């Protein structure tokens, strides 16, 4: 992308790997549009006016697929603004649009079908995928139809965007297992209000020669090589395979197929997907000769205020599936968000009204503000969205019960809910009962040495089943074993371990 040198207006040229022409013809024209609404830009500027360079072609009607039954859209929000693009911009959820015309398209009489792609490279989606689901949900809340596309075919190739190495090959069993897991997660979060498709269903019928003839002839190799992710890989020692190099064409063809056969008009994705998305809009324009028919939208990557990626913990990715990360652990991750990030994440990751978020922000600056009040609201809203009311209640119950010093009586069911999220060990009954707590805390892995355990105990930071231990000579008794199965040890408020008694 290139920018004009003036300080009052920026010109954004949209490039694509597909052949375009600036010369006028009977089927296409070239025009500029002032677009003052984008909140982000790759260019530093003190103004908010941008100029988009847009290509237009003759219009062709879309075929609307009726093969999927659709849920009735929810009632529109009561904030008197039904323009989903303006709402997304206000909440910091738009980085780029392929055309300003999308502003008008989303408030036209006909709802839009909007899709986001998810390659099944793991058994669960992670926090980095959550923004895509949230944006789909915003479209649904404003009366549009979300479509989730599982990349059963493209996962066999691997998207090189943002990757320094080629993705490892996935065997068919892993692909099937991952696909089922991701389908389940999306269906649960969006409550069945989305159409879920798999691109392998059409790619398995595509022949190589047909693809080269129908798609490859529109691709310009120079433009494809100029893509940032491609340039970085070509400059690296590992280089890039031809398979990965073609990924942007595969994703572009997905959009063409969905536009033509399912009536999908908008593709959304993270900012690293810009090149892949514009590949699709340009392919639609060239192949179908459609004017103003297909749109792309990217949202920013989820980053902390220090510029590091949000969505990783010391233990790895923050998974959306409760089978891979408990609602309790998920809740705790958001509860620990720093004050510098919490307001921005409330805007991006929740559906709270902006007025309520503003009030929470003002409260944070007032005398008497209870620390972590905003974080608690963030954790509650995101956990409810991903895991439902039942998952949220499970997380809150465990949080209260497992807080050192809490008066809530512990039970096996509560501890079992977090057992996979904290260090754990198994010991025989005679290795636990009548053993000094200091010795057990080392055997269980909570401390590296008895001296470290004694030091924290003297400081009042060692807990047995949430009760603070003051005496160094404390020994484990039979009644200390919760439901005869487990002992919970805590070093301070955050470090815990469970000892399963056999």
């Amino acid at each position: 992308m290139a920018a004009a040198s003036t300080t009052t207006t920026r010109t954004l040229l949209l490039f694509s790997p597909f052949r375009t022409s600036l010369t006028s013809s009977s089927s296409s024209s070239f025009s500029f549009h002032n677009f003052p609404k984008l909140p982000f830009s790759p260019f530093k500027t003190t103004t908010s006016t941008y100029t988009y360079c847009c290509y237009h072609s003759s219009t062709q009607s879309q075929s609307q697929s009726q093969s999927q039954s659709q849920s009735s859209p929810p009632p529109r929000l009561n904030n008197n603004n039904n323009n989903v693009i303006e709402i997304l911009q206000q909440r910091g959820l738009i980085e780029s649009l392929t055309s300003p015309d999308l502003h008008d398209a989303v408030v036209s009489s006909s709802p839009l079908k909007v899709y986001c792609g998810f390659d099944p490279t793991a058994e669960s989606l992670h926090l980095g995928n959550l923004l895509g689901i949230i944006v789909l949900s915003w479209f649904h809340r404003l009366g549009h139809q979300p479509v989730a596309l599982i990349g059963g075919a493209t996962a066999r190739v691997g998207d090189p965007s943002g990757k320094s190495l080629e993705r490892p090959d996935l065997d068919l069993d892993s692909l099937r297992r991952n696909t089922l897991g991701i389908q389940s997660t999306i269906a649960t979060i969006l409550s069945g209000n989305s159409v879920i498709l798999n691109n392998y269903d059409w790619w398995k019928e595509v022949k190589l020669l047909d693809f080269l003839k129908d798609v490859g002839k529109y691709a310009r190799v120079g433009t494809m090589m100029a893509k940032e992710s491609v340039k970085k890989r070509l400059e690296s020692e590992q280089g890039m395979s031809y398979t990965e190099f073609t990924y942007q064409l595969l994703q572009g063809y997905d959009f063409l197929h969905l536009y033509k056969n399912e009536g999908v008009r908008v593709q959304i994705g993270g900012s690293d997907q810009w090149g892949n998305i514009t590949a699709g809009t340009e392919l639609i324009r060239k192949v179908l000769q459609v004017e103003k028919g297909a749109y792309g939208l990217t949202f920013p990557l989820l980053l902390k205020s220090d510029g590091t990626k949000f969505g990783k913990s010391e233990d790895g990715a923050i998974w959306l599936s409760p089978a891979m990360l408990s609602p309790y652990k998920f809740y705790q991750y958001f509860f620990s968000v720093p004050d510098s990030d919490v307001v921005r994440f409330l805007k991006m990751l929740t559906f709270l009204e902006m007025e309520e978020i503003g009030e929470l922000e003002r409260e944070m600056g007032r005398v008497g503000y209870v620390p972590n009040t905003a974080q608690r609201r963030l954790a509650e809203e995101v956990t409810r969205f991903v895991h439902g009311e039942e998952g949220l209640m499970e997380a809150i119950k465990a949080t209260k019960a497992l807080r050192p010093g809490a008066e809530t009586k512990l039970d096996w069911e509560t501890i079992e809910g977090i057992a996979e999220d904290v260090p754990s060990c198994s010991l025989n009954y005679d290795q636990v009962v009548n053993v000094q707590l200091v010795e057990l805390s080392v055997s269980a892995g909570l401390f590296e040495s008895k001296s470290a355990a004694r030091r924290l105990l003297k400081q009042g930071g060692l807990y047995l089943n949430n009760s603070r231990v003051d005496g160094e000579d404390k020994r484990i008794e039979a009644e200390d074993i919760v439901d005869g199965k487990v002992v919970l040890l805590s070093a301070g408020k955050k470090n815990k371990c469970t000892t399963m008694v056999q």
Side-chain angles (χ1 to χ4, degrees):
M1 291 180 282
S5 59
T6 175
T7 59
T8 58
T9 302
R10 293 293 187 246
T11 298
L12 184 60
L13 299 178
L14 307 185
F15 290 98
S16 151
F18 301 106
R19 181 175 5 195
T20 59
S21 172
L22 299 185
T23 59
S24 299
S25 68
S26 59
S27 62
S28 65
S29 62
F30 174 79
S31 62
F32 289 93
H33 296 276
N34 287 327
F35 183 36
K37 297 182 179 179
L38 271 182
F40 300 99
S41 170
F43 314 112
K44 295 180 179 179
T45 175
T46 57
T47 71
S48 58
T49 299
Y50 303 86
T51 302
Y52 270 70
C53 171
C54 306
Y55 303 96
H56 305 287
S57 304
S58 59
T59 303
Q60 176 173 315
S61 62
Q62 307 167 59
S63 61
Q64 301 291 328
S65 172
Q66 303 297 327
S67 60
Q68 298 276 359
S69 61
Q70 301 175 12
S71 303
S72 299
R76 295 188 179 242
L77 303 183
N78 295 322
N79 59 5
N80 298 320
N81 186 0
N82 290 328
N83 192 313
V84 65
I85 301 301
E86 293 179 1
I87 291 173
L88 293 175
Q89 287 174 340
Q90 186 182 27
R91 305 182 80 95
L93 285 170
I94 291 184
E95 181 153 315
S96 303
L97 297 174
T98 57
S99 170
D101 294 331
L102 186 55
H103 273 271
D104 297 325
V106 296
V107 291
S108 64
S109 57
S110 301
L112 298 178
K113 287 188 177 181
V114 184
Y115 98 91
C116 186
F118 305 93
D119 277 354
T121 54
E123 288 186 61
S124 169
L125 297 177
H126 52 76
L127 197 54
N129 304 120
L130 185 58
L131 276 184
I133 299 176
I134 286 173
V135 173
L136 284 181
S137 187
W138 271 115
F139 271 94
H140 177 253
R141 287 163 184 254
L142 273 299
H144 304 285
Q145 174 64 58
V147 176
L149 179 65
I150 308 297
T154 43
R156 303 179 187 215
V157 173
D159 186 359
S161 301
K163 301 295 179 182
S164 58
L165 295 173
E166 187 165 358
R167 293 180 185 270
D169 291 336
L170 291 171
D171 59 77
L172 294 182
D173 287 340
S174 296
L175 275 173
R176 281 191 286 267
R177 183 172 59 251
N178 294 353
T179 297
L180 290 175
I182 290 175
Q183 284 177 339
S184 175
T185 297
I186 294 173
T188 299
I189 295 177
L190 295 179
S191 303
N193 292 316
S194 66
V195 174
I196 302 177
L197 303 174
N198 189 328
N199 65 8
Y200 184 70
D201 291 337
W202 54 83
W203 276 109
K204 64 184 179 183
E205 306 295 340
V206 177
K207 297 180 180 179
L208 176 61
L209 291 179
D210 291 337
F211 178 74
L212 292 175
K213 176 175 68 70
D214 298 334
V215 177
K217 68 179 180 180
Y218 295 106
R220 302 293 88 190
V221 173
T223 305
M224 292 175 68
M225 292 181 66
K227 185 179 176 182
E228 192 63 28
S229 61
V230 174
K231 285 197 299 183
K232 287 183 178 179
R233 289 289 297 279
L234 290 177
E235 294 168 357
S236 69
E237 187 175 326
Q238 291 78 17
M240 170 181 272
S241 70
Y242 173 76
T243 302
E244 284 186 300
F245 184 61
T246 62
Y247 186 94
Q248 56 187 291
L249 302 185
L250 304 185
Q251 187 167 327
Y253 182 81
D254 280 342
F255 198 179
L256 172 64
H257 176 90
L258 291 172
Y259 184 96
K260 184 178 180 180
N261 297 284
E262 301 290 340
V264 175
R265 296 181 60 193
V266 183
Q267 180 182 179
I268 66 169
S271 57
D272 58 346
Q273 294 297 305
W274 178 255
N276 294 338
I277 290 174
T278 55
T281 56
E282 281 299 296
L283 184 59
I284 291 169
R285 187 183 69 83
K286 296 297 292 185
V287 173
L288 301 181
Q289 294 293 296
V290 173
E291 182 182 358
K292 299 181 181 180
Y295 305 96
L297 177 159
T298 62
F299 42 81
L301 299 179
L302 202 56
L303 301 176
K304 301 177 184 177
S305 55
D306 61 6
T308 58
K309 186 176 290 187
F310 182 71
K312 295 281 187 179
S313 70
E314 294 179 357
D315 301 322
I318 303 301
W319 301 106
L320 304 187
S321 168
M324 298 184 68
L325 188 73
S326 72
Y328 163 77
K329 196 72 172 180
F330 186 85
Y331 178 96
Q332 290 298 315
Y333 184 77
F334 286 95
F335 190 79
S336 63
V337 166
D339 286 349
S340 57
D341 291 323
V342 66
V343 173
R344 182 164 54 89
F345 290 162
L346 279 167
K347 294 176 182 178
M348 298 178 73
L349 301 175
T350 78
F351 300 91
L352 294 176
E353 294 286 353
M354 293 294 286
E355 292 78 6
E356 184 174 353
I357 296 174
E359 180 58 29
L360 282 169
E361 184 175 18
R362 288 187 290 273
E363 283 288 335
M364 292 176 67
R366 291 172 182 160
V367 176
Y369 169 74
V370 179
N372 293 324
T373 298
Q375 282 87 344
R376 181 178 292 105
R377 192 62 192 277
L378 173 67
E380 289 173 354
E381 293 298 319
V382 180
T383 304
R384 181 186 291 110
F385 179 66
V386 173
H387 294 293
E389 195 67 33
E390 183 177 345
L392 174 60
M393 291 300 101
E394 175 188 328
I396 291 176
K397 178 185 175 183
T399 297
K400 291 179 178 179
L402 298 173
R403 184 175 66 250
E407 297 180 0
T408 306
K409 189 178 185 303
L410 285 174
D411 56 47
W412 162 245
E413 182 181 352
T414 301
I415 297 178
E416 185 183 32
I418 67 153
E420 295 183 359
D421 301 321
V422 298
S424 180
C425 70
S426 296
L427 295 174
N428 292 327
Y429 185 85
D430 57 3
Q431 294 177 294
V432 176
V433 176
N434 206 34
V435 174
Q436 280 194 333
L437 175 63
V438 169
E439 181 179 341
L440 178 63
S441 65
V442 175
S443 301
L446 188 61
F447 295 98
E448 293 184 356
S449 65
K450 293 181 181 179
S451 60
R454 291 191 183 98
R455 186 163 52 249
L456 187 64
L457 186 149
K458 291 177 181 178
Q459 296 171 354
L462 183 58
Y463 294 82
L464 169 63
N465 298 331
N466 287 342
S467 296
R468 189 171 66 187
V469 178
D470 298 317
E472 190 174 322
D473 57 350
K474 165 65 180 174
R475 291 179 180 272
I476 306 300
E477 302 174 23
E479 52 265 32
D480 292 325
I481 303 175
V482 178
D483 292 342
K485 297 180 179 180
V486 64
V487 171
L488 177 67
L489 303 177
S490 304
K493 293 184 177 180
K494 294 185 178 180
N495 297 322
K496 306 178 189 295
C497 75
T498 58
T499 300
M500 306 298 177
V501 182
Q502 299 177 334

